[in-house]
Amino acid sequence: MAVQAYQQSLKYETFSYLPPMKPEQVRRQIGYAIAQGWNPAVEHTERGTTANTSFWYMWKLPLFGEQNIDTVLAEIEACHREFPEHMVRFVAYDNYSQSQGQCFVVYR
């Protein structure tokens, strides 16, 4: 039995310990958040700052009540085009618990 060495790397959000998600997997995660009734939002920050701070810039306002996955994906893409050197993450806000229901980095 071979022992696999741990490779140290920066971990940013919920799915950071898994291999990068494929576009269809990102789409399903966004669909899950919308199905829960959570409000989607897009945030971005400069690379290398997450280890020192937890501040992310909000891309526009949260998409309150948005039910269309393609609209959310279009906002993620627009943010990435505007800030190609930044990391971009998807956030889903839960109105009931008044917290984040889900959050993951889409572009590292």
Side-chain angles (χ1 to χ4, degrees):
M1 181 165 94
V3 176
Q4 184 176 1
Y6 175 74
Q7 294 179 351
Q8 186 175 11
S9 64
L10 293 176
K11 305 299 181 199
Y12 299 109
E13 298 294 338
T14 306
F15 299 113
S16 292
Y17 293 90
L18 300 174
M21 287 192 279
K22 296 180 173 85
E24 183 55 35
Q25 292 171 313
V26 170
R27 182 180 197 77
R28 285 196 308 254
Q29 290 299 325
I30 293 170
Y32 173 81
I34 289 173
Q36 300 305 307
W38 298 338
N39 293 306
V42 179
E43 296 178 346
H44 63 96
T45 192
E46 296 89 0
R47 293 180 198 271
T49 60
T50 56
N52 301 328
T53 181
S54 60
F55 185 79
W56 288 71
Y57 305 103
M58 187 169 279
W59 170 257
K60 300 184 179 179
L61 291 173
L63 304 167
F64 295 108
E66 184 60 57
Q67 297 294 310
N68 189 339
I69 298 170
D70 292 324
T71 301
V72 177
L73 287 170
E75 290 298 330
I76 291 171
E77 292 299 324
C79 181
H80 182 61
R81 278 193 309 275
E82 182 76 22
F83 302 101
E85 297 301 316
H86 286 198
M87 294 189 305
V88 179
R89 74 178 179 179
F90 169 79
V91 182
Y93 293 103
D94 183 352
N95 286 345
Y96 183 73
S97 66
Q98 297 187 1
S99 64
Q100 292 182 358
Q102 183 182 43
C103 182
F104 61 91
V105 176
V106 179
Y107 289 104
R108 295 184 192 180

